Each structure stands twice: as C-alpha cells, then as structure tokens.
Amino acid sequence: MITQFEVPHRRARKTATYTSLVGAARALCQRQGFVGLRTADVAKAAGVSHGAVFAHFPTREMLLKSIVHDLTASLTDRLAELVTLGASLRAVLAAHLACLAEQEDLYRRLLIEAPLLPESFQLAWIGFQSAVSHHLAEAVAIERAGGSLRPIAHHLLFNTWIGLVHHYCINRELFAPGQSVFTARAEMLINHFLSLVSLNPQEPP
Amino acid sequence: MITQFEVPHRRARKTATYTSLVGAARALCQRQGFVGLRTADVAKAAGVSHGAVFAHFPTREMLLKSIVHDLTASLTDRLAELVTLGASLRAVLAAHLACLAEQEDLYRRLLIEAPLLPESFQLAWIGFQSAVSHHLAEAVAIERAGGSLRPIAHHLLFNTWIGLVHHYCINRELFAPGQSVFTARAEMLINHFLSLVSLNPQEPP
DNA sequence: ATACTCACTGAGTGATTACTCAATTTGAGG
DNA sequence: CCTCAAATTGAGTAATCACTCAGTGAGTAT
C-alpha cells in the first residue's frame, strides 16, 4: 500500500539519480569545461555506474544540452528578477553583472566553448544575450528621454557593452586573478561604460 | 658533381616537405580549427606519409605551436608595417582591422580556441595584443595632446576596442554573413569607437 | 661499385572514450 | 512468497588518434 506521504521508491530513486547526474555534470563542466566532460567522470562523481548515464540521457550531447539549457534559462530568469521595472541604465548593467557573477565559472566556460559546441547549443546562448539586449534597450529608452545619452545605435551600444564584459570574463586571470571579475570589476566597468555613452562625461570617483 | 645551381637534393626535398606540412597544417587549422587538427589529415594534405609529420615535428603540439607562432609574428610585423610613424588614432584602428582582415579566418580560430590551448600558446597571443595596445597608446598620446579625446585610462580604452573587435569577429556570422567582418564592418566599428572616445561627438556619415 | 646515411613509409600500438547489453538487484503487485 | 519489470551494473565493443619503428629506396661519399 502506498501512503499519502510516499512516492514510489523506484521513481524517487530514479529522479534522485537523475538529479545527481545533472549536478555532477554541472560541477565537472565548471572545472573541466563542456568539451572536456567525460561521461565516466560524471557517473563516478554522481556515485552511479557508467551505464546509468545512458539510462537517463541518450547521448553525452543531450546531457550537455540539458546543462546548457538549464544555465541559460536560470540566467534569463534571474536577470528578469534582478531588473526591476523601470530600472535605470546603471541598475540594468549592475543586474547583468550580478547575475553573471552568480554563475561566473560556468558562464565563462560556456562563453569560451560555445563556438565549439554543436550549432543547436547556440540558440539557448543567443536567447540569453537577447534578453540582456532587451533589458538594456528598455533602460536606454528611458534614459534617452532624459537626454543624458549620446545618440548611439542600440546594437552598437549593446555590442560594446557585451564585448567589454566578455573580454573581461575571458581574460579574468589578467583582470582579477583568483577572484570573480564580475564582482571585483563591476563598478569600474559600469562607470567606464556609462561615461562612454553619456553626453556629460563624468569622472570616475 | 654538384653544379652551382644545385642544392643537395636531400636537403631541398626535406625543406620542401617541411614547407608543405606547415602549409597544409595552416590551411587545415583555418577550416577545422586548431583543436580539430589531425596529424593524419596534415600528412594527407601535404602529400606525405603520416609518419613524416613526426620526422619534422616531435609532437602535434609543436606543429600547432609553430603555426600559432608564425601567425602572431606575421601579424605583429604586418601591423608595424601598416602603422606609419605618427599615425592618427583612426589610422591605427584602420591598420589593426586591415591587418586582421588579411588573416581573418585563422585569427578567428585562434581567438576562439586560444583559451583551450596549452598555456605556452597564450604568450605569443598576448604578445600580439600588446603590440596593438602599444600602437594604440602612441596614437592616443598624440591625439590627447590635441585635446580632442575624453580622459579615459588607456587600459579601458584598449579593452573596449579589443572587446568590440573580438565580439564582432567571433560572431561574424551575425554581423557579416559569408564575408570578412573586418572589411565589411571596419568603417562602422572605427566611427563608433572614435565617437565614443572623442569629446565632440561626431555623427556617423 | 660499395657502403652508408638520411628522409620517408605505413602498418602497427596503446591510450582514450562514448556507447551497448546481458546479467543482476530491488521495489511493487498479487 | 512469488513474479514481473524497472533501474542499475560493469565488462565489453568499436572507433578515433597521436605516436612508433623496422624497413625501403634514393642520394651521397669513398
């Protein structure tokens, strides 16, 4: 008999294994990268047999896809959470960096390896960048109404910001050795970018 | 007897093989990337046996290193050539992009894969970036004397430019599908960047 | 002519790794 | 208790590759 509190053991055990596999894979991707993820390592880290991996994911690629999808979905959600309605441009930039800081290692891996992953992976990746662009556009529209911004095409403004942020992320060891770049350099990056796009140059503090 | 026109056959043949190997490897890296380079493919493309590769390069890694080194050295030289003494900031930016345009495919591969290559490779890579930074700094110093530039720390100015350029390079398919980004978007990138760092915002044409 | 050396050959080796599948364990239903 | 099947096991398979090395043949020296 199944009481109201119980879930069938088998199903519970299966989802526990699944969760364990995804968690282990995520952690390993953070350390070894997506390209370097080995299914045998995932199994070992999850405490199950090698074969168990393929009982839950048809191929290694599907496992990777699941991790990438989870990451970009969670980033998109988190960004929306951090960007409160009507936020200033500065607030949006800060939210963007804060959001990346929370997942910095994994984000960095994806940033570096995305071009080497199968094409289907890029969609999730691009989806998140679009979300960032969208939030930025909204903040810019408000700010522009105030007349404090230079007249810059949105795509250039966005690409300049993304290019700068990703450059710092990729070369993290140069800019913030052993730390989170997105925490250590956030203020500097934001101040610099704002001063670039503002009509009245503000001196950084 | 050896006539005055002849080089010892064996040596000539050897250097011909070497050249052929390097050329084939370069071409393959352009298409399949550095990480995806297979020694058997190199041999086939060069028209020699698989074993011949290892008669000229102790390991695959050394072959890769040789290609990367050649590329960055030639880029550095070419940049110095294109940047004439006392060049304006605009001229340096244009020279930078022109220089990258000439080797765009291979440069893009290196840009994407550099973080995945052994650490020793990064030195050559960073060397070239330093050269760019140096030329930029000289132009900025002159321009600044004219008082037309915003007061921006050089590293931020440089990183903004590099971040932008690399972002466009990596996402070439988005910005200039099937073309050279560095040719198709050079003017736009340069105008945008100059307008960002100039005191008097100029409208792009 | 003879001996020797060098560049090259290409079949073979060993290491790695995603994926398979017959066997086994274990929970669930009767 | 017995039976069925779902979940898991782990040894095995097949493919991929960098790298090796005994052998070959064409130059070169004497």
Side-chain angles (χ1 to χ4, degrees), chain A residues 13 34 39 56 68 78 87-88 95 99 101 104 109 111 124 126 173 194:
Chain A
R13 227 180 111 73
F34 295 92
T39 52
H56 291 266
V68 170
R78 186 73 177 122
S88 68
C99 164
E104 185 168 319
R109 287 292 184 184
L111 173 59
I126 288 177
E173 287 308 309
L194 285 177

Side-chain angles (χ1 to χ4, degrees), chain B residues 77-93:
Chain B
D77 290 353
R78 185 71 177 124
L79 182 63
E81 236 177 83
L82 289 175
V83 175
T84 51
L85 218 61
S88 68
L89 179 51
R90 174 180 289 272
V92 171
L93 300 178

Side-chain angles (χ1 to χ4, degrees), chain B residues 17-31:
Chain B
T17 299
Y18 180 91
T19 308
S20 185
L21 281 170
V22 169
R26 224 186 116 95
L28 285 169
C29 282
Q30 229 171 82
R31 263 183 271 136

Side-chain angles (χ1 to χ4, degrees), chain B residues 57-69:
Chain B
F57 300 93
T59 62
R60 171 181 173 277
E61 190 174 321
M62 292 308 284
L63 169 57
L64 284 177
K65 197 176 237 167
S66 148
I67 296 169
V68 170
H69 184 271

